[in-house]
Amino acid sequence: MNTFTKRALSVSTGLLLGLSVSTAAWSAKSLEDVMKDRGLTQKDILAAAKTYTPTGGRDEYLAFASGGQSGQVIVYGVPSMRILKYIGVFTPEPWQGYGFDDESKRVLYQGKTDGEIKWGDTHHPAFSETEGEYNGKYLFINDKANPRIAVIDLHDFETKQIVSNPFYKSSHGGAFVTPNSEYVMEAAQYAAPISNDFVPLEEFNDKYRGGVTYWKFDMDKGRINEDDSFTFELPPYSQDLSDAGKNASYGWGFTNSFCSERYVGGENRPPYEAGCSAKDTDFLHVTNWKKAAELVAAGKVKKVNGSYLITMDQAVKEGLLYLVPEPKSPHGVDVNPKGTHIIVSGKLDSHAWVYSWEKIKKAIDSKKFEGKDDYGIPIIALKDALHTQVQVGLGPLHTQYDAKECVVYTSIYVDSMVTKWDYCEGKVLDQIHIHYNVGHLMTMEGDSVSPDGKYLVALNKLAIDRFNPVGPLHPQNHQLIDISGDKMELLYDMPLPLGEPHYVVAIKADKLKPAVRYKSGWNSRTDSKSKYKTRAGREKVVREDGVVHVYGTVIRSHITPEIIQVEEGETVSIHLTNLERAEDETHGFAVYNENVQLSIEPGKTVSTTFKAEKAGVFPYYCTEFCSALHLEMQGYLLVTPKGYKAKAAQLEEGQVYTKADYDKQVKTNVDTQAVIDSVVGFITSHNYKDFPEVVALVEDATDQLGFAAEAKKKAEDFAAKDDYQNATLWAGQHWQYQVKTADMGLRAKTFLEQHGAVKVK
Ligand code: K7E
Ligand code: CUA
């Protein structure tokens, strides 16, 4: 047996022994012992059994939560509540190279308003839909602070586009999607001048405006089309959340507001919160996007700031915009799956208000209004719109729909509760205390036309005493609640330590079809072949237009080129293609002092461009522990002083090799080859071609074997010339390729054994 297999064997034997010792100690305890030791009740055990997911197990749903001030999206599984990914959206995310490689910088800063903004305040994620069902293709999310909408592709969980609103200075009521993802809604929050310049507050009523934007989405391209998007100019009423109508109310959008008093605080005046909650009601804005889109298409809408703006006058004249009184300082507005009812809750009212779309539509059609607001927008009387009011608790915020008709869940902020109630009959069914001060809540596929119910997640604003203390800034608390029975049952607390996650949406996991690799040489941000794609053996350095372009590759365990030499002051652009096809074989790339960190997933090509300002030595290396020889995956960027002439001297060897060293290495290689042959024999004698994962591994292994053959030939040529220095080094390189081949081969073999491959010959 050769040293490699011996080492591998002894390591795994050690692992096995260690494991069996601890398993024995563990299994000696009975369930009762564990419950006693940890102070667990029967109920706890039941809750654990409902959420625990054994190793290798999968979740039924994937949840996509806003990352709040982190500007990211957090992905976790339900019911296990295991975090799977943070997606960089408005904020650089080094692990994914997001905001570090040239390709993603173009996405991150395309939505820049003025200068490079490096964060976002994400609030509301929304899935793309087809006929009101989540289709698993895209996710949208807003940035409240710097009004923007991002598009995330669920094929690779990467941010592809950021669009910046041309009218607003903040936006909260986004992202909400129309039933076929025709549009993504984004409403303003704090009114501001549309002219984008300074306007004194004395002119607030005349010049400050709110609005709701309908961003046109192109599902085939997976991008927002800014040119075809349009915005309704709205009064300065602090528009809050929105929701798109569906089924019965398809073609319409609903946006609520607070501070319709249009109050502005300031020195020697009562504060904002007093002036903004004086009236008993605010306004629900009802907009007809279907008809508005026809107007836009007919060329009847003018562009302002380079984008279509439907003025209030035009909207009123064309019958596109109406107001309905809603409870004081409302927050959530949620349309039911059938689109027949709209539930609005006011933070300062203990009732949830249920509106009837049929009534609203009737008032619109019969032009029955109780008056107009100061901007001439017709107001529908409350009695002509309301279905019922239900007392649900103090400080109701958001509502989610159950699979059962008429059943809903409303978050009760002040009382720290979730109320389950029936909006058809107007009665409370159940209540559960949460910890603490719940904001949004979410049911499975809750925003679609056919919610699954099953689980509810409460997104709590405060955690207080739920977890081990970690200083004054506490984690957020997502609480998982079982809603499959009549009574709600609390199952699990999940701390989220990234930012305030306002809202989260969950989709059936099997609707998602994420890729495991990119096509070779892929620019993932534009979804096209990169012009810097580089194949094995075609690596090169080209000086072009004053830029040193390095066309490089990465593969276990090698960065090509290993040495890059430039002169101080030169701009370097390094393009790296990951040649791997195997699942989960990502390489990283970091360079000393240059703020460079790339993530190069299988098939991807990414670039980094920087100016080599100072002469010096800059090691670079792979940042993912990708293989046994990961630490050796390294190189040097040498930045020479201006006019530097290389000394003639050769590299000095650190170690001198003899014929004996060479022979020893050759013997090892022969033994290793025997291992490879047996693994290859196993694979080819089974139906491995039925397993795409294994085919990819075999392709990669075959590449490595090709490299191995080249190295072997070089070693033999040098040995024939009695150059045992080079012969030994190349024989060593031959072995490196063999080890990588064996590594992949063994993984393929294990996979086949675990997935029931059958013998074919
Ligand atoms: Cu209630 Cu931004 Cu939807 Cu926070 S928001 S809770
Ligand atoms: Cu590639 Cu470590």
Side-chain angles (χ1 to χ4, degrees), residues 441-511:
L441 31 64
M442 157 192 71
T443 53
M444 303 300 104
E445 303 219 337
D447 289 337
S448 73
V449 291
S450 60
D452 286 7
K454 285 194 183 178
Y455 301 102
L456 179 88
V457 177
L459 284 74
N460 306 325
K461 297 298 169 196
L462 304 180
I464 308 182
D465 56 2
R466 288 298 96 178
F467 307 111
N468 294 50
V470 288
L473 181 63
H474 292 234
Q476 306 285 322
N477 186 8
H478 282 208
Q479 284 188 305
L480 181 69
I481 297 164
D482 180 353
I483 54 168
S484 59
D486 289 338
K487 299 286 295 171
M488 293 179 274
E489 303 263 9
L490 182 61
L491 296 180
Y492 192 68
D493 283 15
M494 177 179 68
L496 261 192
L498 201 70
E500 183 179 343
H502 292 268
Y503 188 40
V504 50
V505 286
I507 186 169
K508 275 193 199 78
D510 61 16
K511 282 191 181 173

Side-chain angles (χ1 to χ4, degrees), residues 132-319:
E133 298 282 4
Y134 299 165
N135 61 23
K137 291 187 177 164
Y138 298 94
L139 185 84
F140 310 94
I141 195 160
N142 73 316
D143 169 13
K144 171 169 167 169
N146 321 286
R148 293 178 292 175
I149 296 284
V151 180
I152 297 159
D153 191 339
L154 296 177
H155 153 266
D156 58 0
F157 288 50
E158 279 197 349
T159 304
K160 306 288 174 167
Q161 184 186 26
I162 293 176
V163 291
S164 196
N165 196 290
F167 301 112
Y168 309 154
K169 300 290 171 290
S170 64
S171 81
H172 188 225
F176 300 94
V177 172
T178 60
N180 287 300
S181 311
E182 299 95 335
Y183 292 94
V184 180
M185 297 176 75
E186 182 193 28
Q189 180 115 84
Y190 307 115
I194 276 180
S195 54
N196 286 329
D197 57 359
F198 171 74
V199 175
L201 281 168
E202 291 74 29
E203 297 173 42
F204 188 88
N205 291 341
D206 294 338
K207 298 275 179 65
Y208 282 55
R209 289 292 175 264
V212 59
T213 298
Y214 286 90
W215 291 102
K216 182 85 190 103
F217 185 64
D218 182 333
M219 187 86 78
D220 293 332
K221 293 205 179 105
R223 300 290 185 274
I224 284 171
N225 180 343
E226 294 176 80
D227 287 342
D228 291 347
S229 303
F230 60 86
T231 296
F232 280 92
E233 176 199 25
L234 295 179
Y237 291 161
S238 298
Q239 281 75 31
D240 200 29
L241 297 187
S242 305
D243 202 1
K246 42 190 129 175
N247 290 322
S249 47
Y250 176 78
W252 295 80
F254 305 92
T255 303
N256 57 19
S257 62
F258 61 89
C259 203
S260 57
E261 293 87 350
R262 291 172 288 164
Y263 184 76
V264 179
E267 220 179 333
N268 299 323
R269 281 165 61 78
Y272 264 106
E273 61 255 51
C276 279
S277 55
K279 285 200 311 170
D280 279 343
T281 53
D282 285 295
F283 288 122
L284 177 69
H285 304 66
V286 181
T287 49
N288 187 336
W289 62 260
K290 200 90 206 309
K291 217 167 145 196
E294 289 164 17
L295 274 194
V296 168
K300 293 196 179 141
V301 177
K302 289 216 177 75
K303 282 199 169 182
V304 176
N305 301 347
S307 187
Y308 290 116
L309 182 72
I310 302 173
T311 62
M312 291 188 281
D313 287 349
Q314 188 175 22
V316 170
K317 204 176 103 225
E318 301 283 351

Side-chain angles (χ1 to χ4, degrees), residues 123-124 172 241 331 398 439-440 461 502:
H123 279 241
H124 307 104
H172 188 225
L241 297 187
H331 190 40
H398 299 285
H440 275 274
K461 297 298 169 196
H502 292 268

Side-chain angles (χ1 to χ4, degrees), residues 586-588 622-627 630 633:
T586 295
H587 298 285
C622 168
T623 52
E624 287 271 345
F625 207 110
C626 51
S627 53
H630 150 76
M633 205 165 164

Side-chain angles (χ1 to χ4, degrees), residues 392-403:
V392 288
L394 215 56
L397 294 187
H398 299 285
T399 294
Q400 281 276 289
Y401 293 87
D402 196 86

